[in-house]
Amino acid sequence: MNAAMILRLEQERAQVAAEIKGGLLYEPRDIKAAVKILKDKPANTQQDNIQRICKALAKVDILFAKAYGQLLKKDYKAAAASAAKVVDDNRATYLSAATFYIYAQALVGDGRGEDAVEVYREILINMPDRISFAASSAMEDAKVYEKIRRLQYAMEMYAYCLKNYALTLTEDE
């Protein structure tokens, strides 16, 4: 595995831990549990980081936990509705990136690909430094464009992903 990628993923988890620790409304025991989720035996992959970050944020934030739980249960319509209530264009935190990401995932699951590509783009435009979420959003955006037969946009998004996030991609990707 690329040492630079591993370092970047470790840094991302540390940034999320710092963001959670700075949450004034979070319970101390929940903060401790969330940080443990982030640090305990990471696989050092983009998808593992996304899952860990979402689990950690769900531990401390009840509104995020509701939407994330619905997504995990594949109740896409409810997850999209819950996430839509809490997305915030004016914040560039990991909580915001994760909320936008699960919102887009729920929209895809609900068969609303046209809406999902716009939500993925919000992450790419407003939170490109939230690497795991941005890189995955670029790939997912391209896949959705393929699915809805907008192949030119899909090719452009794959190229964008390679240009900006190649370090975070797996060999298969």
Side-chain angles (χ1 to χ4, degrees), residues 40-107:
D40 196 28
K41 299 177 186 165
N44 286 319
T45 66
Q46 180 190 99
Q47 285 307 309
D48 180 65
N49 257 26
I50 289 171
Q51 290 172 353
R52 282 175 186 281
I53 291 168
C54 287
K55 286 178 186 176
L57 291 170
K59 198 71 168 160
V60 295
D61 189 282
I62 193 163
L63 296 175
F64 180 81
K66 179 180 179 183
Y68 185 58
Q70 291 165 329
L71 180 71
L72 292 177
K73 291 177 184 169
K74 298 184 180 190
D75 186 355
Y76 300 121
K77 187 176 286 308
S82 295
K85 291 177 186 174
V86 294
V87 291
D88 185 352
D89 292 343
N90 296 317
R91 292 183 348 179
T93 61
Y94 277 98
L95 176 59
S96 185
T99 304
F100 271 97
Y101 187 79
I102 65 167
Y103 181 32
Q105 294 279 296
L107 290 170

Side-chain angles (χ1 to χ4, degrees), residues 107 111-119 144-145 148 150:
L107 290 170
R112 296 168 51 197
E114 295 276 345
D115 295 329
V117 294
E118 296 304 319
V119 177
V144 172
Y145 275 131
I148 62 175
R150 304 208 49 202

Side-chain angles (χ1 to χ4, degrees), residues 122-132 134-135 160 165:
E122 285 293 322
I123 296 170
L124 295 170
I125 293 166
N126 297 322
M127 296 167 265
D129 58 334
R130 305 304 184 224
I131 299 296
S132 290
Y160 175 85
Y165 301 110

Side-chain angles (χ1 to χ4, degrees), residues 5-13 44-45 49 132:
M5 179 181 76
I6 292 170
L7 180 60
R8 180 64 190 111
L9 293 169
E10 288 172 352
Q11 288 174 338
E12 185 171 53
R13 290 190 301 274
N44 286 319
T45 66
N49 257 26
S132 290

Side-chain angles (χ1 to χ4, degrees), residues 155-170:
M155 288 174 34
E156 289 172 5
M157 190 52 64
Y158 284 128
Y160 175 85
C161 187
L162 284 172
K163 179 180 176 189
N164 293 286
Y165 301 110
L167 180 64
T168 67
L169 301 176
T170 64

